[in-house]
Amino acid sequence: MRKFSGLCAALILGLATASCGGSTGPGGGGGGGGGGGGGGGGGGGVCPANTVCATTSNTFNPAGLTVTAGTTVTWQNDTGTLHNVTWNDAAGRSAATAGDGSGDISDFTGSHTRLFSAAGTYAFHCTIHPGMNGTLTVN
C-alpha cells in the first residue's frame, strides 16, 4: 500500500509540474522563456529573435538584448495590458530610428519596431509599471 501511495504522489506531482509549464532549467527545453505557464510575451512561449516581449508579470523578456548594428528590433505586447517603451536618455531616443516609428513607443498592445544603426547600450523602461526595465546593446 505504501508503494502505491508513493507512486500516486509521484504521478500527481509530475502532472502538476507539466500542466504549470515546468521547465528543464533556465531557458531550457520544456516551456522555458518566461517561467511556468504565462511567461514569454503573454502567450507562454519563447520570445522570437531580435524581439523584446512584455510579460504578464510586468517584465521585459529578455531584460537584456544584444544585436548587431543595422538590426530592426521588435517590442511585442500580447499580454492584454498596456505597456510602453521609454528610453532613459536622449541617446536611446535618437538611436531608435525609423521602424514603424522612432524614439519612444507610447502605450501599446501588439508590436512596434525600431531600427538601430548606432553602436551603444541603451536602457529603457515602462512608465506604467515601475521596475519594468530593459537594456538594448547594439554592437
Side-chain angles (χ1 to χ4, degrees):
M1 183 67 171
R2 197 179 306 182
K3 287 182 182 181
F4 180 72
S5 296
L7 180 61
C8 286
L11 180 62
I12 290 169
L13 180 61
L15 289 173
T17 301
S19 68
C20 290
S23 165
T24 59
V46 174
C47 207
N50 301 325
T51 302
V52 177
C53 294
T55 71
T56 55
S57 59
N58 295 332
T59 60
F60 288 114
N61 177 30
L65 178 65
T66 300
V67 299
T68 57
T71 298
T72 297
V73 176
T74 301
W75 276 264
Q76 181 175 314
N77 177 12
D78 297 329
T79 66
T81 301
L82 287 176
H83 294 290
N84 59 50
V85 177
T86 303
W87 298 99
N88 289 8
D89 57 31
R93 219 165 275 112
S94 296
T97 62
D100 60 3
S102 61
D104 294 340
I105 300 172
S106 60
D107 299 356
F108 77 103
T109 58
S111 64
H112 286 284
T113 60
R114 297 293 185 265
L115 172 66
F116 292 87
S117 299
T121 299
Y122 308 109
F124 57 91
H125 62 280
C126 175
T127 61
I128 301 169
H129 302 102
M132 188 172 181
N133 304 307
T135 304
L136 176 68
T137 302
V138 181
N139 292 325

